[in-house]
Amino acid sequence: MRRTLCMLLLFAALLPGRGSGPRSLRDGEIPLRSPSAILMEQETGAVLYEKNADERMAPASITKVMTMLLILEDVESGKLRLEDTVTASARAASFGGSCVFLEEGERMSAEEMLKCIAVVSANDCAVAMAEHLNGTEALFVDRMNRRAEELGLLNTHFTNCTGLFDDEEHYSTARDIAVLSRELMRHEEIKRFTTIWMDSIRDGAFELVNTNRLVNRYEGCTGLKTGFTSRAMYCLAATAERDGVSFLAVVMHGESAESRNADATALLNFAFSNYSLCSLRPEAPLPELPVEMGREGSVPLRCGGEAWALTEKKSGSPSYTLQLPSLLSAPVEEGQQVGTLRVRLGEETVAEVPILAAAPVPRIGFWGIFRKLAGSLVGL
């Protein structure tokens, strides 16, 4: 009985509802060989498919998504400049696996280090950057775990900045990696590195070829990160953009690089074939609303809520219906909802967007009323 009830509740949760967005597919509706996967739209964070997405697994070098995120956040905050020089320590130079064979004392710009991490998953460069930013890799890893908590990654824990070592306390999930990847892709700068197919360092003496073959093979691919260890098997966080909409697919524990890439491709193909973004903002500017008994005669308006909605592909353009009162009474608080914008695509209501006051309008006082009356009399 309990099992039957759980199945009924699960089925009910999966049923599409008005305003709930596109229906998420269930395991099996897209045939995948990887045991864990997720498909997400980047702008809205809508999940379109998941398979064992909360199962903790070794993430291998997908770990470096967090490493790159912290690097770019330090650039954004001014703590780091991409032209800064980074010197490789003996420890950083000792790292094997995927690397660019840094030598102790070798100097590179932070930009070149980041490029090597993004393109060839360079473990030695990841450690060099961690040490440069926080003094030791251990202190950098503490930052990684604090940032994971801030992002709500409940099933993620890091013990190193590379993912090279198969430590049981180093784990993540497909869902957490998707959230983390989405956060990294908010930094447009990363695409300058993750879309590189072939490049070089050391004045052309050392060639770089992207470990993510989809960069060269999949239309619109913007990244993001591959990974492999004997425990993690073949992992991939793949991102792509076409016609203004971006999706990301995460697959974990694939049996081969080919099957991993095939699974990510299948997920992205499904997304691009079936979904698009609908703007929840009208092209025309919002009017100002008249306000009676206010220090100002009108109040500017703005849209609240999300700017986009993910919808199933349909022909035609969205229509926007603005529902506003003819007049407001002061006081009006900034952020106060004063109306609604209904967005429709065909016969379907995509969203009802709150229309908010963009500024406060205090109520006029006694002397204000007196001055207005006096002014009107003088005008007569």
Side-chain angles (χ1 to χ4, degrees):
M1 176 67 72
R2 181 180 298 172
R3 181 178 180 184
T4 302
L5 179 60
C6 289
M7 290 300 293
L8 287 172
L9 289 172
L10 175 62
F11 179 74
L14 290 169
L15 286 175
R18 184 182 176 209
S20 61
R23 181 177 69 90
S24 296
L25 295 180
R26 291 168 288 177
D27 181 15
E29 292 189 83
I30 299 179
L32 300 182
R33 298 174 69 176
S34 301
S36 177
I38 196 167
L39 174 64
M40 179 183 288
E41 194 279 318
Q42 291 185 48
E43 178 68 33
T44 63
V47 174
L48 299 173
Y49 173 90
E50 58 182 272
K51 175 182 180 181
N52 300 324
D54 296 308
E55 184 175 344
R56 292 180 178 181
M57 294 183 172
S61 282
I62 294 184
T63 296
K64 297 187 184 82
V65 173
M66 177 63 88
T67 302
M68 292 188 289
L69 174 63
L70 294 184
I71 291 171
L72 285 180
E73 287 181 343
D74 280 356
V75 170
E76 190 173 278
S77 70
K79 179 181 177 181
L80 174 71
R81 297 178 306 165
L82 288 176
E83 59 267 29
D84 287 349
T85 298
V86 180
T87 303
S89 68
R91 184 171 183 274
S94 71
F95 272 72
S98 183
C99 63
V100 295
F101 305 102
L102 289 176
E103 295 184 2
E104 181 182 357
E106 184 173 358
R107 296 156 66 87
M108 280 188 185
S109 67
E111 181 170 3
E112 282 198 310
M113 290 274 186
L114 180 56
K115 179 171 70 174
C116 292
I117 296 169
V119 177
V120 297
S121 194
N123 295 311
D124 44 3
C125 291
V127 174
M129 286 301 302
E131 293 174 342
H132 180 78
L133 292 174
N134 285 90
T136 69
E137 183 187 5
L139 290 175
F140 186 81
V141 171
D142 286 342
R143 274 187 66 196
M144 294 170 70
N145 286 317
R146 290 196 303 271
R147 191 70 178 98
E149 289 181 9
E150 291 169 0
L151 291 171
L153 310 184
L154 302 179
N155 291 298
T156 294
H157 185 263
F158 302 109
T159 61
N160 59 78
C161 69
T162 63
L164 176 63
F165 306 108
D166 283 331
D167 186 333
E168 289 187 0
E169 293 303 311
H170 189 95
Y171 55 80
S172 190
T173 66
R175 189 186 311 280
D176 281 3
I177 289 170
V179 173
L180 177 57
S181 299
R182 183 181 177 222
E183 188 68 21
L184 176 59
M185 294 304 288
R186 293 181 190 275
H187 299 265
E188 288 290 323
E189 183 78 2
I190 195 60
K191 295 179 187 177
R192 187 160 63 87
F193 303 97
T194 56
T195 55
I196 293 172
W197 171 236
M198 297 182 70
D199 206 328
S200 63
I201 55 172
R202 302 185 180 114
D203 296 323
F206 190 92
E207 188 177 75
L208 305 176
V209 179
N210 205 314
T211 58
N212 181 9
R213 299 297 185 255
L214 296 187
V215 169
N216 189 46
R217 298 176 183 172
Y218 192 82
E219 179 188 350
C221 184
T222 54
L224 182 63
K225 192 70 197 70
T226 62
F228 170 81
T229 65
S230 57
R231 179 165 172 256
M233 299 298 288
Y234 293 88
C235 305
L236 174 63
T239 57
E241 180 179 351
R242 296 179 190 172
D243 300 323
V245 60
S246 302
F247 296 98
L248 66 90
V250 177
V251 293
M252 305 282 286
H253 210 81
E255 60 186 33
S256 68
E258 291 74 19
S259 68
R260 168 189 73 186
N261 293 345
D263 283 351
T265 296
L267 289 169
L268 293 172
N269 282 346
F270 168 78
F272 284 118
S273 295
N274 292 281
Y275 299 98
S276 61
L277 283 178
C278 175
S279 174
L280 303 184
R281 300 291 185 263
E283 292 184 4
L286 295 174
E288 291 199 358
L289 262 182
V291 179
E292 63 177 358
M293 300 300 291
R295 292 184 184 175
E296 304 293 338
S298 62
V299 61
L301 305 179
R302 65 178 176 86
C303 293
E306 299 294 331
W308 300 90
L310 187 68
T311 62
E312 295 181 12
K313 278 191 172 180
K314 294 181 179 179
S315 59
S317 301
S319 61
Y320 303 90
T321 304
L322 197 56
Q323 298 173 330
L324 293 172
S326 58
L327 184 68
L328 291 175
S329 295
V332 178
E333 296 182 4
E334 184 175 359
Q336 173 184 329
Q337 182 170 349
V338 298
T340 302
L341 176 70
R342 178 170 293 175
V343 183
R344 296 176 64 87
L345 195 56
E347 298 299 316
E348 178 190 359
T349 297
V350 174
E352 292 187 349
V353 179
I355 300 299
L356 312 177
V361 179
R363 186 176 178 83
I364 196 169
F366 171 78
W367 289 109
I369 297 174
F370 179 79
R371 281 192 296 272
K372 279 194 172 185
L373 286 172
S376 64
L377 289 172
V378 170
L380 290 173

